[in-house]
Amino acid sequence: MPNLTFDAIIIGTGQAGPPLAARFSSAGKKVAVIERGKFGGTCVNNGCIPTKTLVASAYAAHLARRASEYGVDIAGPVRADMKRVKARKDEVSGASNRGVEDWMRGLANTTVFQGQARFIGPNAVQVNDQTLTAAQIFVNVGGRPLIPDMPGLEQTSYLTNESMMDVDYLPEHLIIVGGSYIGLEFGQMFRRFGAKVTVIEMGPRLIGREDEDVSQTVKEILEKESIDVRLNATCLSVEKSGQGIAANVDCTAGAPRVMGSHLLLAVGRVPNTEALALDKAGIEVDQRGYIVVDEALRTTNPKVWAIGDCNGKGAFTHTSYNDYEIVADNLFNNAGRKVSERITAYALFIDPPLGRVGMTEAEIKRAGIHALVGTRPMTRVGRAVEKGETQGFMKIHVDANSKRILGAAILGTTGDEVVHSLLDAMYARLPYTDVARAMRIHPTVSELIPTVLGELRPLEK
Ligand SMILES: Cc1cc2nc3c(=O)[nH]c(=O)nc-3n(C[C@H](O)[C@H](O)[C@H](O)COP(=O)(O)OP(=O)(O)OC[C@H]3O[C@@H](n4cnc5c(N)ncnc54)[C@H](O)[C@@H]3O)c2cc1C
């Protein structure tokens, strides 16, 4: 077996590995990049990019159906051509996938290996029949869909976010198990494509990590589009029923059985860590298989770092990319950056989207912080009214003593963008009173942020 020596080995080409490879390459270092699947990983091939491309098609169909509300006539019924919807998705996602592969193959001083990597020692990795060693190794292996231990699942065919990427037809009735971020995005998009959709959630509400008012409003938004939401499905089982699927739900309301044509599982993700033989390198994982890291994302092996979803410190493209920034800044600039310095930020890309930063109201209450809260329904946001998109609300929390912004939920048109002005103020550690004084552009959703901050009231404990 040939033994090849590098300055850095990067396992996985998710959102952190490729920019790190480029950073090492531009520093004149010898780099090995190993990828067992499609270049670009989850976000590029079956996560953010393809799903947001599909969300855009679904939005077009939705708006076309509402066209007469805007005084626009469309002759004939609106129909999603799923083959063309998928082709558009494939084009956008494929361009990104090719971009990452070409980027990696074109990097100076870099060798790309295609195959499954596994550790055979503290600084040695095997891929295919080759042994690679390096002074520093970076693990960016991401995750995959969790397949739950659900009665009947072994005898039933099902889809995951990965196999959904091949769907070029309209399911008659899509049953989605899991009422969280991934399930809700697929649910709304397929309803808008024309499928009947039922979302089954085991918990008492959708997106259980969010505040109750957010969960409730999201449920109302989905139900308004005739998506059936079944909560408290604590004893869920599935079985084949004729050509379709029957889901037996133990809900507090509604029929105990849901009949559908297709089943999508969206109940969470697991890290791709078990195939890496991490024990051979002295790298510890936690009970759920996530690699244990310190503040600088270093594993229990001081020469190995874990970046992206596999370290359990984030589950987003931006957290993975931020992991790269932290590691690169520390290694190349001795910056002393810590992962705990980053502020929670993410979005739920249903329409209208939910933009979230910082603490939730429930977290603020649990922490016993003396806080103020400001809210505003989107029906009282001029731009939302003009666009005919008035569902949702804004909610901002500030610390009554320090005047710092603690967190926000902007559920409404462009909420995923609007929330960034608060995020920037949080990073800049600005008192909310400075944000409240800024003159903002009219007519935008963002122009109401100072207004909300001017109408704060004490948060009830
Ligand atoms: C349906 C869906 C929608 C999403 N939407 C969003 C969104 O809108 N916004 C957002 O921020 N995030 C979103 N995410 C999450 C986002 O996709 C991930 O957080 C992001 O891709 C970061 O992943 P990563 O860098 O950890 O690795 P990944 O992107 O998962 O890549 C890991 C790579 O490692 C490779 N690999 C694994 N094991 C090995 C091995 N042993 N040897 C060699 N190679 C290996 C894999 O083949 C893969 O290419 C979504 C996820 C899903 C599933």
Side-chain angles (χ1 to χ4, degrees):
M1 276 199 220
N3 188 341
L4 302 161
T5 303
F6 297 88
D7 294 310
I9 297 173
I10 288 159
I11 306 174
T13 61
Q15 292 299 308
L20 193 59
R23 191 77 178 76
F24 271 99
S25 160
S26 64
K29 304 285 183 192
K30 201 175 159 202
V31 188
V33 172
I34 310 172
E35 174 54 59
R36 73 175 182 187
K38 285 187 175 176
F39 285 79
T42 309
C43 180
V44 165
N45 299 294
N46 45 50
C48 345
I49 292 178
T51 56
K52 268 79 259 180
T53 310
L54 292 170
V55 162
S57 290
Y59 180 71
H62 181 67
L63 205 56
R65 280 190 200 104
R66 292 185 60 205
S68 68
E69 291 175 39
Y70 298 83
V72 175
D73 287 331
I74 292 184
V78 174
R79 193 185 73 83
D81 178 340
M82 292 307 292
K83 290 215 167 9
R84 279 163 56 209
V85 166
K86 177 179 176 290
R88 178 175 181 274
K89 181 270 293 176
D90 287 344
E91 199 178 317
V92 175
S93 166
S96 198
N97 160 255
R98 284 189 300 279
V100 177
E101 178 161 4
D102 292 349
W103 183 26
M104 291 300 99
R105 292 196 187 283
L107 281 181
N109 319 310
T110 302
T111 312
V112 172
F113 297 85
Q114 279 199 276
Q116 162 112 6
R118 63 183 188 91
F119 282 90
I120 52 171
N123 67 341
V125 167
Q126 194 180 331
V127 54
N128 305 324
D129 61 347
Q130 287 168 305
T131 298
L132 321 184
T133 55
Q136 296 176 322
I137 301 179
F138 303 88
V139 182
N140 178 219
V141 294
R144 62 181 188 279
L146 168 71
I147 308 303
D149 192 10
M150 186 191 297
L153 202 57
E154 276 178 16
Q155 290 82 46
T156 317
S157 61
Y158 58 83
L159 294 154
T160 66
N161 73 282
E162 292 176 0
S163 47
M164 282 302 280
M165 295 299 113
D166 300 325
V167 170
D168 64 354
Y169 54 87
L170 191 66
E172 191 187 318
H173 182 172
L174 181 63
I175 299 175
I176 300 176
V177 175
S180 205
Y181 309 89
I182 292 175
L184 299 189
E185 287 178 17
F186 276 114
Q188 190 187 48
M189 107 189 31
F190 272 83
R191 179 72 197 123
R192 289 178 170 194
F193 291 148
K196 189 168 161 31
V197 171
T198 302
V199 175
I200 302 175
E201 165 57 43
M202 292 172 202
R205 57 193 174 90
L206 298 176
I207 40 172
R209 250 177 284 158
E210 304 301 334
D211 287 331
E212 285 188 29
D213 50 359
V214 173
S215 292
Q216 181 57 31
T217 308
V218 164
K219 182 166 173 275
E220 286 164 14
I221 288 167
L222 298 177
E223 286 178 335
K224 208 169 164 217
E225 294 185 31
S226 302
I227 292 170
D228 204 7
V229 177
R230 304 294 304 268
L231 303 174
N232 300 301
T234 44
C235 294
L236 185 61
S237 68
V238 290
E239 61 190 83
K240 250 200 219 157
S241 174
Q243 292 297 306
I245 282 149
N248 302 304
V249 284
D250 184 32
C251 301
T252 46
R257 203 162 211 239
V258 178
M259 307 295 289
S261 61
H262 295 77
L263 176 68
L264 166 62
L265 298 177
V267 293
R269 315 241 332 136
V270 284
N272 289 325
T273 48
E274 70 290 336
L276 285 167
L278 293 168
D279 53 320
K280 298 280 195 308
I283 299 168
E284 282 175 26
V285 294
D286 69 13
Q287 283 169 340
R288 297 187 305 148
Y290 289 95
I291 298 175
V292 175
V293 289
D294 65 13
E295 282 277 36
L297 305 173
R298 208 184 278 253
T299 71
T300 45
N301 174 335
K303 298 291 178 201
V304 180
W305 286 253
I307 45 184
D309 290 8
C310 67
N311 65 23
K313 299 280 182 198
F316 301 101
T317 278
H318 45 278
T319 49
S320 180
Y321 190 80
N322 186 240
D323 284 0
Y324 144 69
E325 292 177 315
I326 291 168
V327 169
D329 219 4
N330 288 348
L331 290 178
F332 291 97
N333 304 326
N334 210 11
R337 286 174 68 169
K338 296 178 183 167
V339 68
S340 60
E341 287 164 356
R342 79 179 165 218
I343 298 168
T344 300
Y346 55 87
L348 164 66
F349 292 95
I350 58 163
D351 171 39
L354 167 68
R356 271 272 305 114
V357 292
M359 299 171 88
T360 62
E361 186 167 299
E363 285 168 345
I364 292 166
K365 285 184 176 174
R366 272 199 299 278
I369 299 169
H370 180 207
L372 306 174
V373 60
T375 55
R376 190 175 192 90
M378 296 303 284
T379 47
R380 293 182 58 219
V381 175
R383 186 64 190 277
V385 174
E386 291 145 15
K387 289 172 80 178
E389 298 186 348
T390 54
Q391 297 184 97
F393 63 93
M394 311 183 181
K395 181 166 72 164
I396 309 173
H397 291 95
V398 306
D399 187 314
N401 299 323
S402 70
K403 301 206 178 331
R404 295 261 176 81
I405 298 165
L406 294 168
I410 313 282
L411 173 59
T413 183
T414 66
D416 50 337
E417 299 286 352
V418 173
V419 82
H420 282 92
S421 72
L422 295 161
L423 184 62
D424 289 341
M426 290 168 82
Y427 273 110
R429 297 167 174 268
L430 289 178
Y432 78 83
T433 41
D434 283 8
V435 181
R437 219 177 287 144
M439 182 195 76
R440 295 193 165 205
I441 297 166
H442 173 78
T444 60
V445 177
S446 296
E447 74 178 321
L448 270 304
I449 298 258
T451 311
V452 173
L453 291 172
E455 298 171 347
L456 298 172
R457 58 185 190 281
L459 178 67
E460 284 171 26
K461 297 233 161 120

